Amino acid sequence: MEATLRWRGTLSESPAAAAGSTTQSPASSKRLARARARALGQRTPYTMSLAERLLIARLIERDEQAFEEIVRQYRDKVFSLIYRMLGNRQEAEDVAQDVFITVFKTIDSFRGEAKFSTWLLRIAANHAKNRIKHLARRPTEGVDPDDVSQLRALPDRPAPPVQAQIDAPDKLLEAAETNALVQQAVDELDEDQRLLVVLRDVDQLSYEEIGEITGLPEGTIKSRLHRARMAIKEWVDRHTR
């Protein structure tokens, strides 16, 4: 299958016309472009590296080794996002597999206008949200406590958005219990709020990256995050009295 990718190239600059004028370095030009985009409320244009272009080109050619490379490179990040959204390891494994199958089938639609990782996480987020809606339509006993403990045990998992401060060893158990309550509180959020909390407070992505994944402007992301955090705090407070 043949496809044409639309790449964002750097603009060529004309030599300075007047004596004594200076030419901006590529790094300065990129910083200026980012500043202008932010001032106009636009997202920063993204330029793919040569390595990324070659890898995507191989994927478009249905190169299985390229696909395996993508899976190796991004499987932990994709699984982590989905796992924290769903709170169930088996469900997360199934959805993560579906995500990479979707990527393989729809790689022709990737245009290089954002990072490949954000495009991939957008697919993962949509799959996770759809799975949450599907699970909500059938009887469930909620999140498995073992899954919650495993979520906390993930090696790259930063502190949740609301967490007890550990001042002494005897506070460890209390902090662990608070962490479990936080995860349950996150599970009570709707899928859109849950996604924002995971992307920002757990994965620590920038607002710009979150905007690429969700399609939301920065102001909307911040206001929804604030409401989500307040809902988490109120839920935890109610269950720790």
Side-chain angles (χ1 to χ4, degrees):
M1 181 183 297
E2 296 184 354
T4 301
L5 294 181
R6 179 158 52 89
W7 308 113
R8 287 184 179 273
T10 55
L11 295 176
S12 59
E13 296 181 354
S14 300
S21 63
T22 59
T23 302
Q24 291 181 327
S25 68
S28 297
S29 298
K30 289 181 180 179
R31 285 195 295 270
L32 181 59
R34 286 196 293 267
R36 287 174 175 171
R38 285 195 297 270
L40 296 173
Q42 300 172 345
R43 297 196 176 101
T44 307
Y46 177 68
T47 303
M48 294 182 67
S49 68
L50 177 60
E52 287 177 306
R53 298 185 188 190
L54 292 175
L55 182 58
I56 299 305
R58 288 168 57 202
L59 277 176
I60 290 176
E61 294 297 326
R62 299 299 185 260
D63 184 328
E64 291 188 7
Q65 289 186 341
F67 178 70
E68 292 173 359
E69 184 175 340
I70 288 291
V71 173
R72 283 195 302 270
Q73 186 172 348
Y74 294 105
R75 62 185 173 190
D76 290 344
K77 183 176 292 188
V78 168
F79 176 77
S80 177
L81 170 63
I82 297 170
Y83 192 8
R84 287 164 177 141
M85 289 284 289
L86 301 181
N88 182 284
R89 181 172 292 276
Q90 184 59 55
E91 291 285 352
E93 288 174 351
D94 292 343
V95 174
Q97 184 176 18
D98 290 341
V99 166
F100 284 106
I101 291 174
T102 299
V103 167
F104 193 63
K105 290 181 177 178
T106 64
I107 188 62
D108 292 347
S109 66
F110 179 64
R111 295 291 179 261
E113 297 171 348
K115 292 181 180 179
F116 176 79
S117 61
T118 56
W119 181 77
L120 174 60
L121 289 179
R122 186 187 311 147
I123 295 174
N126 289 336
H127 275 65
K129 288 163 65 175
N130 290 338
R131 192 61 178 169
I132 289 170
K133 293 175 181 177
H134 170 75
L135 294 174
R137 293 194 293 267
R138 73 182 193 188
T140 179
E141 297 178 358
V143 178
D144 188 331
D146 290 337
D147 278 324
V148 173
S149 64
Q150 291 171 11
L151 272 171
R152 295 200 307 273
L154 286 176
D156 63 340
R157 187 171 192 253
V162 182
Q163 182 180 12
Q165 297 296 319
I166 302 175
D167 298 322
D170 61 355
K171 295 291 186 180
L172 287 173
L173 179 59
E174 179 183 348
E177 293 172 348
T178 301
N179 285 348
L181 285 174
V182 168
Q183 182 59 48
Q184 293 176 46
V186 171
D187 293 335
E188 293 295 320
L189 300 173
D190 65 49
E191 61 270 15
D192 292 319
Q193 287 184 320
R194 197 183 310 180
L195 175 62
L196 293 179
V197 168
V198 171
L199 292 176
R200 180 61 179 174
D201 293 328
V202 178
D203 291 340
Q204 299 181 328
L205 298 185
S206 68
Y207 290 114
E208 183 172 359
E209 289 172 315
I210 296 173
E212 293 286 356
I213 292 169
T214 63
L216 298 173
E218 183 174 324
T220 301
I221 293 170
K222 289 181 176 179
S223 62
R224 292 185 182 181
L225 261 176
H226 175 72
R227 289 196 295 269
R229 289 165 177 163
M230 291 303 297
I232 292 172
K233 185 178 185 303
E234 291 170 2
W235 195 97
V236 172
D237 287 345
R238 286 198 308 271
H239 291 79
T240 54
R241 291 172 183 171

